[in-house]
Structure formats: structure tokens, C-alpha cells
Amino acid sequence: MWCLELLIPLLLIISDGNCQWNIWLPRDISAMTNSCVVIPCSFMYPSGIRPVRGIHGIWYYGQPYPQLFPPVVFKSLTDIVHESYKGRTKLLGDLNQRNCTLLIGNVGTEHSGRYYFRADIGGANKYSYPDFAELKVLDQPNIDIPEEIVSDESLELTCYAPDNCPDMTPEIQWMYTDYLPDPEFSSDSLEESNTAVISNTLTFTPRPMHNGQLLGCRVYYPNTTLVYERLISLDVKYSPRSVWVNVSSEVMEGSSVTLHCEVDSNPSPRISWRFGDQELLWDTASNISLFLDDVTPENEGIYTCVGDNGYGVMNTSMYLAVKYPPREPVVNDSMTVVEGTSLALHCNTMGSPAPTLTWLKDGQLAGSITAGELSVLEILEITPQQTGQYRCLVENEHGRASASLNITVEYAPVFLEESKCTVVREGVQCVCVAVGNPEPTIEFYLPDLNITINETDGRFNFYTHTDGHMSTAMIKLREKGERADNSGPAVNVHCSMSNIYGRESVLLELQQEKKYMMAVIVGTIGGVAVIAFIIAAVRYVGQNNKKENGNPRQDVVLENPALYYSAVKKDKQNLRKKVGEDGDYQPVGSVGGLERQELNYAALEFIGGRPSERASGRGDDGSNYTEIKAK
């Protein structure tokens, strides 16, 4: 027997001198269920004791002391043993040779426990050894699994089976290894403390895909039906190999959005959502969701999900775009500038998508249309015509907004063509019109008299009027338009206009209203001629009627005939405007309109005459018609 052979060298070194009560047996021993197990054992007793009738021994289960009535496993003097051990135990050693090796057959899990030996040398020389052998009955093999299995690192898994039954030697096979990359197998047999164990080692390099995969070890005894299996699930540790998040998305301002993140790693990582340098949310899990409510443009940006499980770190980012209508643009303040100044008008706004920016002046396009958040309208050497309201209009598909500013251009006075002197019925009327900003001040200067007129004078009627940036001034001179000797105009008038940016003086041209005078003269002469013709015609008709009726002659008496003649047709808009209580008038528009005046009509009324048919016509003088009434 192999276990007895192991004990012989030990027995040979036992010395009779100085011997005490001692025992040697394995502290731990194992066996597969329904197999057998041999517990190797050797004992010693004091050398002064001489066995009288030989040495006897007892194996107990659980307790070494008989007074506690432990179950008897084996007894050399009798066959009386505990029910669970009947027919199962056999002493393989020779007690007289101090060998107490025990065989237990057909073991079950109920036989697991501590086994004690008691020696009976004879007489009072009986001793229960406190040392024990603990039997573990296994229903499946043991697999030695490392505390940590890390992806991409070589792994060794060893399956063990006890080999403590002399009549049966087990064999080991690995199961479910077909999916493993290049697996290697190696067998070995170990003996320690007179117990034997066989092993089979599986070597391979796991990958993340092997996490959770099953592996199995099968132990079987040839020529028997005894088969034992154990399955394990691989717990492969690996760093995050994928981090899944929402695809980049667009949301409207004020809406809600949920950002999902899932991380594939083992163990579960610490997942966090980050926005810039700010950590918004974290948890130790395989997934996490970040909920954003009532989003604003400030929520737009890059969101990053970070997974960290101690074996590695991985992150994935997404971009959240917030769409919103353009904000009210920010433009320059309204300003007043001097003519010739160069300006740059800025319009800033925000919107998503990027809005278009358009500059308008008084409702008309004033520059190019740009896209973005800034538009600059450059005005080089500004002119008075560029005074007005400038509006920046911004719009995108979600809305529009605008902002305005006013630009006022200040400039030196400018003389207008309407400025002149005109002969009128009362004398000469001089009008001076100028524009400027600030509105110009107008003065008249008469160099012949060395007089500057800027207020009402006894000889002049001075009138001034301001309309926006236009100033109009007028004076009337009670003078003839020409000198008596026809040597030139009797009036020499200068107009002076000024503001803070400059002064200008011009000589006003005298315009004779010849057409007007001719119309009055021709109209008067024509009217008199028509009247004379009508009177002659009336008398002729009266005399003929008298002859026909035999009546004595009666002359038609025209008592104080009332002669009504028209005034010159006046331009309602541009000719005159009453400026005083004395009946003087001032032109406010084009004084040249007097040239287009014409005689409208002349009327005669006879009292005591006989009615006659109306006569009308158009004369060379331009009159419309002539009407005669007799009452």
C-alpha cells in the first residue's frame, strides 16, 4: 500500500528513548463523493510502556474523548461502529507497528469532518490524541481562480482533484474551451503531507469579449460512472472599451432634452457628464442620463461623458445646439456729426442659426447683407444727404428683430437757387433761401445804403421763417426796379447766411417781371377795345329796332358803368403769403412763378340797357372770355 510505504521511513527514525504520546496524520485531506479515502496515520507512546496483550485502537468522528460518546468510525477489538460507517471502514496499518492508517470507502458529504485516533496499549495505558485529520468530501472539483482576471493579460486556471483512493485514479478535462484564443493545457500531480492531488492547468489570454463566458472542469474515474463537473463564469476586468452617447442634436430654446450615456467596462465605471470644466452629474453604473429642462443658449456646447473604472478611462463627446431667434441687436447711439466725417456703424446680435444682418436707411437698403453676429456699415466722408434713420434688421428662420439710430449731419450754409429779387407791384421783393445745420441765420445787406437788415425797418418789411434746416428770409423795398436813366438796377442786395460752420454772402439777381407787366397792359387795352365794340353794337341794334317799330329815338343811357376786371391769376402754392396787417405779401416758393400769370376775364355791367345774348371769346391778350350784362 502506497501510504504504508510512506510511513516506513518515519517509523524507523522513532527512538525508544524519551518518547511521549504523539501522533502524526494529515491535517486536511479530501475525497470525491462515492469514492474512497485513505487517512495515513502513525502514533507513538512512552517507551516505558510494554503492551500486555497487543495494541488496540479506535477512530472517532467529531470528538476524541469516549466519555462524550462520539460516533465510532473503526474499532479494532469489535465490529461495532456507527451506523453511517458500517461496511465502509478498514484499518490498513498495523497497530503493533504504530501504524493507524484508515480507509473509508464510498464516502459521502455527511462524512466530512474531523477524525481522531485513540490508542489502547493495555491496562490503564489508553490515550486519545488531540490532533485530528479533517476530511472534506467534495461533490465537484476545485478550480484555482486568480483574484483578478484582467483583459489582455495571460491567465492560468488550475483544476484540482484528490487522489487519495488507492483503487481509483481520477482524470481531468476542461470544457467549453473552443472559443478561447490558443488555449494550452498541462497536467501535474502533487503530494503534500501524504495526501495526493492531481491538477490540470488551462492557460490563455482573455479578452473583454470573454467576460461572463462559461468554463468547465470535469473529473471522472475511468471504468466507473463517477463524473464530477464544475462550471465557472469568467469575470474579466477591462477598461472602458466604448462610451455611447446621443448623437449631436439641435433643440429649440425653452425645450427639454435628455442626454444618455452608456459605458462598456468591467467593473462598472464611475460615469460623469461634464460641460466644459464643470461636472454636472455622476454615478457608479453602466449608464447615466442627464436631463436639461428649459434650455437656453447658455446650455449650447460640448457635453462629455467620462467613464473610469480603475483599469482605464474613456470619454465621448456630443454637441448640443440650441436654436433661437435673433436677439435685439446692439447698435451705436444716435449721433450728430460734421459733414465730411467718416463713420463705422456696428450692429451686434446673437441668434441660432446665424442671422442675416441688413442695414437700412429710411427704409431703403444702405449696405450689403451679411450673415453672422456682427455687421459694420462704413460711411466715408458723410454728406448732409446721409442724414436720417439707420436701422439694423436681423433675422433667421425663427424670428427677426431690429434696432435704430439717428444720424444728424451738421454742415455750413448752402445757398439755394430760389434766392433772388423780383419786381412786384409794390416795389422790389428779395427772397433768400439757405439750408444748413444748425439752421443758418440770414441777413440782407444793401451796400448802396451801407445797411444791414436783420429786423423790421421803417423802409423795409423783413420776414424770416425756419422749416427744419431750411431758413427763408424776405424783404420788400419800396423802390423801382430800374434807375430813371435805365443805367441798371436800382436795387443792389446781398444775402448773407451763416452758422457755426461757416458764412456765405451772395448778390441777389434782380428779375424783371416783364411778362407780368405785358399781360396787365395787354389785358387792359383789350378789355377797353371790347367794351367800345360792344357799346357800338348795342347802339346800332337799338336804332334799327326804333326804325322798325316807328318809335321815336331813345338813347340808351349808361349810368356809371361798373367795370370789373380780373386780377392776375395767382399761384396758390408759390406766389404770396400774407405777412402783415398792411396787406403786404411774401413769396414762399419760386418767385419765378409770376412769369406764368395771365389775365382770366373782364366783365361789364350796363344798367338800364336791354338784355342781349352773351358773347364770349379768346383774345390775343390771353383772356378767357368777356361777358356783358344789361339790366
Side-chain angles (χ1 to χ4, degrees):
M1 304 276 304
W2 66 270
C3 55
L4 294 179
E5 294 175 353
L6 293 174
L7 287 175
I8 291 176
L10 295 176
L11 295 176
L12 293 176
I13 63 173
I14 295 177
S15 173
D16 291 339
N18 299 322
C19 286
Q20 300 298 325
W21 296 99
N22 289 315
I23 192 171
W24 183 95
L25 71 172
R27 186 63 178 243
D28 297 293
I29 194 169
S30 59
M32 303 304 297
T33 58
N34 299 320
S35 68
C36 68
V37 62
V38 173
I39 302 176
C41 174
S42 63
F43 64 95
M44 293 188 305
Y45 52 87
S47 59
I49 299 176
R50 295 288 182 265
V52 179
R53 297 185 182 93
I55 300 175
H56 300 281
I58 302 174
W59 280 94
Y60 290 115
Y61 174 80
Q63 293 290 339
Y65 305 111
Q67 59 267 30
L68 298 178
F69 304 103
V72 176
V73 176
F74 174 83
K75 192 172 184 180
S76 61
L77 289 177
T78 68
D79 295 333
I80 300 174
V81 296
H82 188 270
E83 185 68 25
S84 63
Y85 291 98
K86 284 184 178 181
R88 296 175 183 263
T89 58
K90 180 180 179 180
L91 188 66
L92 299 182
D94 183 356
L95 296 179
N96 292 318
Q97 297 297 322
R98 304 177 187 181
N99 187 340
C100 51
T101 299
L102 177 69
L103 168 67
I104 305 175
N106 195 24
V107 294
T109 54
E110 69 276 11
H111 298 136
S112 295
R114 295 178 178 180
Y115 287 81
Y116 296 88
F117 179 72
R118 180 178 174 83
D120 183 359
I121 308 302
N125 297 313
K126 299 177 181 179
Y127 186 79
S128 293
Y129 292 95
D131 295 337
F132 59 87
E134 185 165 1
L135 173 63
K136 295 179 180 179
V137 180
L138 309 176
D139 57 2
Q140 61 181 6
N142 286 325
I143 298 178
D144 186 7
I145 305 174
E147 291 184 2
E148 187 175 76
I149 302 175
V150 181
S151 174
D152 301 320
E153 295 183 5
S154 181
L155 171 66
E156 290 186 354
L157 299 177
T158 302
C159 181
Y160 296 94
D163 186 18
N164 295 310
C165 183
D167 298 333
M168 298 186 296
T169 300
E171 293 187 7
I172 299 175
Q173 288 181 340
W174 283 98
M175 302 183 296
Y176 311 122
T177 60
D178 294 342
Y179 62 87
L180 298 180
D182 303 322
E184 297 179 358
F185 306 94
S186 61
S187 298
D188 196 7
S189 179
L190 302 177
E191 291 185 6
E192 183 178 354
S193 301
N194 286 331
T195 63
V197 175
I198 63 172
S199 64
N200 191 294
T201 301
L202 168 64
T203 304
F204 69 99
T205 301
R207 301 284 187 265
M209 62 178 294
H210 298 135
N211 181 52
Q213 295 287 347
L214 292 177
L215 279 178
C217 176
R218 176 185 286 121
V219 175
Y220 66 96
Y221 290 90
N223 303 318
T224 71
T225 59
L226 300 180
V227 178
Y228 311 91
E229 294 179 350
R230 181 181 177 184
L231 298 179
I232 63 171
S233 176
L234 294 178
D235 183 16
V236 181
K237 309 296 185 183
Y238 57 93
S239 63
R241 61 173 181 169
S242 67
V243 178
W244 179 91
V245 298
N246 308 60
V247 296
S248 296
S249 59
E250 299 178 352
V251 297
M252 280 300 298
E253 180 181 24
S255 62
S256 301
V257 63
T258 301
L259 307 183
H260 299 284
C261 178
E262 294 183 6
V263 179
D264 179 11
S265 71
N266 185 37
S268 294
R270 181 187 187 276
I271 308 179
S272 61
W273 272 111
R274 303 184 67 85
F275 182 63
D277 295 332
Q278 180 182 6
E279 185 175 79
L280 304 178
L281 181 68
W282 75 271
D283 192 11
T284 301
S286 60
N287 62 80
I288 191 173
S289 295
L290 174 65
F291 181 73
L292 300 176
D293 187 26
D294 191 20
V295 297
T296 66
E298 287 71 26
N299 297 125
E300 179 169 337
I302 298 175
Y303 289 79
T304 302
C305 179
V306 181
D308 183 357
N309 69 346
Y311 294 92
V313 181
M314 190 175 187
N315 65 77
T316 300
S317 300
M318 53 116 15
Y319 191 86
L320 179 65
V322 180
K323 302 300 181 182
Y324 57 97
R327 297 295 187 247
E328 180 179 350
V330 177
V331 298
N332 307 63
D333 294 331
S334 294
M335 63 185 76
T336 299
V337 299
V338 180
E339 179 182 13
T341 303
S342 295
L343 304 177
L345 305 184
H346 292 78
C347 178
N348 290 277
T349 187
M350 295 179 62
S352 181
T356 58
L357 297 88
T358 306
W359 278 104
L360 303 173
K361 176 186 177 296
D362 298 329
Q364 300 297 319
L365 185 64
S368 60
I369 300 175
T370 59
E373 296 184 351
L374 173 65
S375 177
V376 179
L377 176 62
E378 293 186 350
I379 304 176
L380 302 178
E381 297 182 356
I382 195 168
T383 65
Q385 289 73 26
Q386 291 172 300
T387 293
Q389 183 189 68
Y390 288 78
R391 183 164 69 102
C392 179
L393 174 64
V394 295
E395 55 187 338
N396 64 13
E397 60 191 73
H398 302 297
R400 61 167 52 188
S402 66
S404 301
L405 72 150
N406 292 314
I407 295 181
T408 302
V409 181
E410 294 187 341
Y411 54 97
V414 177
F415 177 78
L416 299 185
E417 294 181 355
E418 288 87 347
S419 303
K420 56 187 144 181
C421 290
T422 307
V423 176
V424 295
R425 182 182 303 175
E426 296 85 356
V428 175
Q429 177 178 279
C430 294
V431 176
C432 187
V433 183
V435 293
N437 189 16
E439 62 272 6
T441 300
I442 299 178
E443 297 178 337
F444 291 98
Y445 175 64
L446 305 180
D448 294 344
L449 302 177
N450 195 21
I451 296 175
T452 298
I453 302 171
N454 53 20
E455 60 183 6
T456 302
D457 187 271
R459 300 177 57 195
F460 323 106
N461 286 322
F462 178 84
Y463 170 78
T464 184
H465 173 70
T466 300
D467 183 8
H469 297 152
M470 178 182 290
S471 294
T472 303
M474 183 187 74
I475 61 172
K476 284 186 179 181
L477 304 176
R478 297 183 179 92
E479 302 285 347
K480 297 295 183 178
E482 296 182 355
R483 298 184 186 277
D485 56 0
N486 293 325
S487 60
V491 178
N492 187 8
V493 179
H494 289 259
C495 174
S496 176
M497 54 206 79
S498 64
N499 63 12
I500 60 175
Y501 297 108
R503 173 183 291 271
E504 183 178 1
S505 180
V506 296
L507 173 63
L508 297 181
E509 178 185 358
L510 177 63
Q511 295 185 356
Q512 298 287 346
E513 296 293 337
K514 295 181 179 180
K515 291 184 180 180
Y516 168 73
M517 300 297 292
M518 183 61 68
V520 173
I521 296 172
V522 173
T524 303
I525 295 174
V528 173
V530 171
I531 293 172
F533 173 77
I534 293 173
I535 293 173
V538 170
R539 287 186 175 183
Y540 175 76
V541 173
Q543 290 177 357
N544 289 339
N545 289 338
K546 183 175 181 181
K547 291 178 180 180
E548 292 176 359
N549 297 328
N551 295 331
R553 179 181 179 183
Q554 277 187 324
D555 294 332
V556 179
V557 180
L558 301 177
E559 298 179 358
N560 300 324
L563 178 63
Y564 295 91
Y565 57 92
S566 70
V568 177
K569 184 178 182 181
K570 302 171 181 59
D571 186 339
K572 295 180 180 180
Q573 298 294 330
N574 301 320
L575 182 57
R576 292 183 178 178
K577 176 179 180 184
K578 187 173 182 180
V579 297
E581 297 299 332
D582 59 351
D584 291 326
Y585 292 82
Q586 169 195 336
V588 296
S590 174
V591 296
L594 292 173
E595 297 179 358
R596 296 188 298 272
Q597 294 173 356
E598 58 184 353
L599 185 63
N600 288 335
Y601 64 91
L604 293 176
E605 184 176 348
F606 296 93
I607 300 175
R610 188 174 59 153
S612 63
E613 295 181 357
R614 294 180 180 177
S616 63
R618 185 175 183 86
D620 295 337
D621 56 359
S623 60
N624 288 334
Y625 61 87
T626 303
E627 183 179 12
I628 299 175
K629 293 182 180 181
K631 297 183 180 180

